[in-house]
Amino acid sequence: MPARHLAAAAALVLASAVPAVAAAPAHPDLPAGSTEVPVERGSARLRLSPDLRSALKDDGVVVTSLDAKGKVGPRGHSGGGTTLRITGGAVTNSGGKLGGELRFGRAGLALVATGGTSRTRAAEFRKSVKITRFELDLGHGTLTAALHNGTRFTLGTFARPTTRAVLRTKTRSLRVNLTIRATPSAARLDAALGTHCFTGHRPLLHARIVASLDRSADLRTALNLG
């Protein structure tokens, strides 16, 4: 057999003897087809539930927006909510449910309490609580935030939506509406304000989220959407 044929045969034998090395998944804790897809930009509109707004009003608490520099917006002009910019995060498909996390900027909400109930029309504002640095843990269905003193706590929980229902593969976007209910740890807001509005599992916030995902990602493949 010519030398060149012998060399080719030897190369084939060596190649077959070496086992193929599987490519490592993009994330060691996620199954194949469920990699993280980064969020490029987006926003969330947070609005207090009508029931909670009414309870706060009866206790003389006004809800207003808080900008990224910590400045409280005009009282009564926020409509009981605020719009937050998404500053980071990623989404996954976790067993058919939306997973991942969304992080928001420094802006938030301010709860300002008067010296009496709304019925007394007290003019002097004595207490306020600033809630900032919101984060949505989509995989666990929790909303966390930080108080003005830096204390971080779980503000609410929500039912995780199915991945297919909220993702738009053609536009690589995420559109989701969440009803967020208060957790027991939300009662620390009552302690700070002198109210009894955050007890129980009552509806707390409605969140409407619109986000654009990584433009280079093939969502069907990355999130195993079929």
Side-chain angles (χ1 to χ4, degrees):
M1 181 181 292
R4 59 194 181 114
H5 290 170
L6 286 172
L12 287 173
V13 171
L14 288 174
S16 62
V18 178
V21 178
H27 193 294
D29 298 325
L30 296 172
S34 295
T35 55
E36 292 183 337
V37 177
V39 175
E40 292 187 339
R41 60 187 180 279
S43 64
R45 173 64 179 169
L46 300 182
R47 186 180 294 274
L48 265 68
S49 71
D51 175 62
L52 179 58
R53 286 184 64 189
S54 177
L56 288 170
K57 183 179 180 181
D58 287 344
D59 278 351
V61 177
V62 177
V63 182
T64 188
S65 60
L66 189 72
D67 68 18
K69 295 183 179 180
K71 182 179 179 181
V72 177
R75 293 190 289 269
H77 288 77
S78 70
T82 190
T83 299
L84 304 178
R85 183 174 63 89
I86 296 175
T87 59
V91 298
T92 66
N93 179 12
S94 178
K97 299 281 189 177
L98 189 65
E101 65 176 8
L102 298 176
R103 298 184 297 276
F104 302 92
R106 293 174 177 269
L109 290 168
L111 308 178
V112 186
T114 68
T117 67
S118 59
R119 298 184 182 89
T120 67
R121 300 186 181 277
E124 182 182 1
F125 284 80
R126 298 178 179 176
K127 298 178 182 178
S128 66
V129 175
K130 296 178 180 179
I131 311 172
T132 63
R133 298 185 181 277
F134 288 90
E135 291 187 9
L136 277 171
D137 186 327
L138 301 170
H140 290 91
T142 58
L143 172 67
T144 61
L147 296 177
H148 57 276
N149 61 7
T151 302
R152 189 151 200 92
F153 69 110
T154 301
L155 181 60
T157 61
F158 56 89
R160 294 169 57 209
T162 59
T163 308
R164 290 179 182 275
V166 298
L167 288 178
R168 308 291 186 269
T169 56
K170 289 184 178 180
T171 58
R172 295 187 179 88
S173 61
L174 168 69
R175 292 178 180 271
V176 59
N177 292 294
L178 302 174
T179 297
I180 299 167
R181 294 180 175 274
T183 64
S185 60
R188 68 180 57 205
L189 298 176
D190 282 327
L193 294 167
T195 60
H196 298 85
C197 300
F198 294 90
T199 57
H201 195 53
R202 75 187 308 164
L204 181 67
L205 290 164
H206 175 76
R208 182 177 184 273
I209 301 165
V210 179
S212 297
L213 306 182
D214 183 4
R215 285 170 289 181
S216 65
D218 179 346
L219 294 189
R220 290 189 178 277
T221 301
L223 300 178
N224 194 25
L225 297 177

